[in-house]
Amino acid sequence: MTTAQLPHGHSIARTARREIPRLLQRFLLAMALTACAVPAIASNPEQAPASTTAQATVATLAPADSVASIDLASPDNAPLAEQIAALQAAPTTTSRIRTVLQRAFALLGTPYRWGGTNPDSGFDCSGLVGYVFRTIGIDLPRVSRAMANEGTAITDRAALVEGDLVFFGKRGRVDHVGIYVGEGKFVHAPRTGRDVTVSSLASGYWSQKYLQARRLAADT
């Protein structure tokens, strides 16, 4: 472009002298805005602490979750920790039955497995009961229906004592067994997808399915 082609007689040199200060102003303004924005991002009070808090929460909860195989806060298990300590120290509980209770409580949280008979592979209901009683030298039949013929029948539910076997089913046919641990509760391996746990005889599903109880010779 020549000087003659510029409007109003402006020359290239005069136009360049006007444009350079404008560009310089824009550049300096952009630099100033960037300098102000960087500290604001670095000092954001919400972003960094939120991440730190989340990591702290995970670090706090993970160990507890990995250890807690059984929910002690559930309705069935709410006073379980105190109950375990009381039963183990109860003067009316024989040493053999105390061993049964201790072994059963130690297995809380073991996964259910149909046909399972040991803590490595998991337990079904009769597998758990048989395993626990073998620790005191008592061999029981493999299935719950056959276990229901062992020992002495306890006809009054109010007369149950620690270590009694409690049986459940429908239409008079036994299909489940657990170990009574006192205070209206029993330990058992419920079903697929559930772990060895403590449930109540006082109300709910198992109260309705209760059929009978048996007391083995080891209880006396």
Side-chain angles (χ1 to χ4, degrees):
M1 181 180 291
T2 65
T3 304
Q5 292 174 315
L6 292 175
H8 306 294
H10 294 306
S11 66
I12 294 177
R14 291 175 61 186
T15 302
R17 283 196 299 269
R18 291 183 180 180
E19 290 297 329
I20 290 174
R22 292 177 185 174
L23 293 174
L24 183 58
Q25 289 176 357
R26 292 175 184 174
F27 176 75
L28 293 176
L29 179 60
M31 291 294 293
L33 291 175
T34 302
C36 293
V38 171
I41 294 173
S43 61
N44 188 335
E46 298 177 357
Q47 187 173 358
S51 177
T52 303
T53 302
Q55 292 176 357
T57 301
V58 171
T60 301
L61 294 181
D65 291 343
S66 62
V67 172
S69 302
I70 183 170
D71 181 10
L72 296 181
S74 71
D76 282 342
N77 304 325
L80 185 55
E82 294 82 0
Q83 179 184 339
I84 291 173
L87 288 172
Q88 291 174 342
T92 56
T93 305
T94 67
S95 60
R96 297 183 79 195
I97 293 306
R98 188 174 293 113
T99 299
V100 166
L101 299 180
Q102 290 173 340
R103 172 59 66 178
F105 289 142
L107 295 170
L108 291 173
T110 304
Y112 179 96
R113 181 182 178 185
W114 188 84
T117 58
N118 64 76
D120 295 329
S121 61
F123 292 108
D124 61 14
C125 66
S126 55
L128 171 69
V129 172
Y131 178 87
V132 167
F133 273 88
R134 280 195 298 274
T135 64
I136 60 170
I138 294 180
D139 288 322
L140 293 171
R142 176 62 185 90
V143 298
S144 59
R145 192 172 301 113
M147 288 181 180
N149 297 319
E150 298 292 307
T152 303
I154 307 300
T155 57
D156 184 1
R157 193 185 302 195
L160 290 172
V161 298
E162 295 89 342
D164 286 349
L165 302 186
V166 286
F167 296 90
F168 307 84
K170 53 186 177 181
R171 295 190 292 272
R173 184 179 177 86
V174 171
D175 58 21
H176 191 71
V177 62
I179 303 171
Y180 188 71
V181 298
E183 299 189 10
K185 297 186 178 182
F186 66 103
V187 62
H188 65 137
R191 58 177 172 78
T192 301
R194 293 285 306 277
D195 299 337
V196 174
T197 190
V198 172
S199 297
S200 175
L201 283 174
S203 61
Y205 177 85
W206 296 110
S207 177
Q208 298 172 9
K209 296 296 182 181
Y210 176 83
L211 291 179
Q212 61 168 304
R214 309 288 291 192
R215 185 166 299 160
L216 304 179
D219 294 38
T220 58

